[in-house]
Amino acid sequence: MGKLDGRVAIVTGGGNGIGRFYSKAIAGEGAAVVVAEVDGIAAQLTADEIAEDGGRALAVQTDVSNAQSVQHMVDETIRQLGRIDILVNNAAVFATIPISRVGIEELSEDEWDLVYRVNMKGMFLTCKAVVPHLKKQRYGKIVNIGSGSMLEGAGGRIHYTSAKAAVVGFTRVLAHELGDYNVCVNTLAPGSTLSEKDPTPEIVRMREAATARRAIKRVQRPEDLVGAMLFLVSPDSDFITGQMLLVDGGSRFY
Ligand SMILES: NC(=O)c1ccc[n+]([C@@H]2O[C@H](COP(=O)([O-])OP(=O)(O)OC[C@H]3O[C@@H](n4cnc5c(N)ncnc54)[C@H](O)[C@@H]3O)[C@@H](O)[C@H]2O)c1
């Protein structure tokens, strides 16, 4: 018996990096998982891995920044799996599709727009399309992925960090809008995580440097996030909404 038996979960950006771990962990608790990913090959590979482990998964190539693509993803989920209970908004331009780490003067307007279109508007589009299904059944879980980086606002990546700060406000408003329907909306904020499959020595050095300010001084890995994710999508957190859960080994206390 899994904690999520009979549930259907959508994980955006669920084919690579940390999202792949969320997809597999949620499936491991018995939910059918829709891997909604712009990288169609990665989506299929993750869905295949879940099936090999005895779980149920559906790969749907999805661009979260495109309303039609998001609607197609929701329609396919309902057509093939019949319902939606859980939405994990994890997709972002960040590592698999990299962004630059530069100061405001070097940052292009195009990259600013791309980050807001995928990382923020994408969350709006997926929630807008999924919320009617959650309201109808008067139960659901939405987990929006934020980032611990927005608590300190270190220099560089003002587009990424400010969009992650927006996730917190977005989550609080939606928690209020959906409380009467027993739909919980929370932010899960990872610290600096070694999520790349084949990280360059430079990336490894950067992730190692993050350990210095932690209470628990080691590199954070995707596995460190799955327990918090499973808590936020399971009935164990049914009276917790509008919150941000920071999982970063104790880098920041807020
Ligand atoms: N790794 C970290 O240090 C860290 C820290 C804090 C927060 N986060 C957040 O955690 C989440 C996962 O990060 P990650 O490290 O695995 O990065 P990642 O770049 O590997 O994962 C993002 C996923 O989103 C997908 N994606 C990109 N654009 C998309 C689109 N338009 N539509 C659908 N899918 C799209 C990518 O293909 C990828 O699979 C992101 O939201 C990221 O901002 C990561």
Side-chain angles (χ1 to χ4, degrees), residues 157-202:
R157 292 193 164 169
I158 197 168
H159 50 347
Y160 176 80
T161 306
S162 60
K164 287 298 186 187
V167 170
V168 176
F170 180 95
T171 297
R172 289 177 181 166
V173 174
L174 201 56
H176 276 288
E177 291 189 13
L178 300 180
D180 286 344
Y181 300 89
N182 284 313
V183 176
C184 298
V185 191
N186 290 292
T187 300
L188 173 56
S192 178
T193 306
L194 188 62
S195 63
E196 294 83 359
K197 235 190 209 154
D198 302 304
T200 61
E202 192 197 342

Side-chain angles (χ1 to χ4, degrees), residues 6-11 30-35 55-60 73-86 137:
R7 300 289 183 197
V8 173
I10 294 171
V11 181
V33 172
V34 178
V35 185
R56 194 166 177 212
L58 176 67
V60 183
M73 178 268 287
V74 168
D75 292 346
E76 277 305 293
T77 304
I78 297 297
R79 192 175 70 79
Q80 298 202 43
L81 300 170
R83 56 188 292 142
I84 303 170
D85 305 282
I86 295 163
Q137 66 198 28

Side-chain angles (χ1 to χ4, degrees), residues 13 15-19 36-39 62-65 90-97 118 145-147 160 164 190-193 195 207:
N16 296 300
I18 309 171
E37 185 33 274
V38 75
D39 178 349
T62 309
D63 176 358
V64 295
S65 69
N90 166 80
V93 283
F94 176 65
T96 300
I97 302 174
V118 175
I145 302 302
S147 171
Y160 176 80
K164 287 298 186 187
S192 178
T193 306
S195 63
R207 300 295 179 215

Side-chain angles (χ1 to χ4, degrees), residues 17-208:
I18 309 171
R20 182 172 149 266
F21 284 79
Y22 296 145
S23 298
K24 293 181 72 167
I26 291 170
E29 283 297 330
V33 172
V34 178
V35 185
E37 185 33 274
V38 75
D39 178 349
I41 294 170
Q44 193 56 59
L45 284 173
T46 301
D48 291 347
E49 281 181 60
I50 290 171
E52 279 161 27
D53 291 344
R56 194 166 177 212
L58 176 67
V60 183
Q61 186 172 20
T62 309
D63 176 358
V64 295
S65 69
N66 179 295
Q68 278 180 330
S69 178
V70 168
Q71 194 55 54
H72 168 75
M73 178 268 287
V74 168
D75 292 346
E76 277 305 293
T77 304
I78 297 297
R79 192 175 70 79
Q80 298 202 43
L81 300 170
R83 56 188 292 142
I84 303 170
D85 305 282
I86 295 163
L87 170 64
V88 176
N89 279 308
N90 166 80
V93 283
F94 176 65
T96 300
I97 302 174
I99 52 170
S100 46
R101 189 180 290 276
V102 294
I104 194 164
E105 290 160 289
E106 279 76 50
L107 185 61
S108 73
E109 191 178 339
D110 283 350
E111 195 175 301
W112 173 277
D113 287 344
L114 173 69
V115 165
Y116 268 77
R117 208 165 54 239
V118 175
N119 300 14
M120 197 56 240
K121 183 181 162 192
M123 195 169 284
F124 161 67
L125 292 176
T126 56
C127 287
K128 194 172 161 65
V130 166
V131 157
H133 297 277
L134 303 182
K135 278 172 87 168
K136 206 166 52 194
Q137 66 198 28
R138 302 188 81 82
Y139 186 79
K141 300 280 190 178
I142 298 176
V143 180
N144 297 323
I145 302 302
S147 171
S149 64
M150 72 91 187
L151 288 168
E152 62 183 301
R157 292 193 164 169
I158 197 168
H159 50 347
Y160 176 80
T161 306
S162 60
K164 287 298 186 187
V167 170
V168 176
F170 180 95
T171 297
R172 289 177 181 166
V173 174
L174 201 56
H176 276 288
E177 291 189 13
L178 300 180
D180 286 344
Y181 300 89
N182 284 313
V183 176
C184 298
V185 191
N186 290 292
T187 300
L188 173 56
S192 178
T193 306
L194 188 62
S195 63
E196 294 83 359
K197 235 190 209 154
D198 302 304
T200 61
E202 192 197 342
I203 286 173
V204 174
R205 268 197 301 279
M206 187 182 72
R207 300 295 179 215
E208 282 171 354

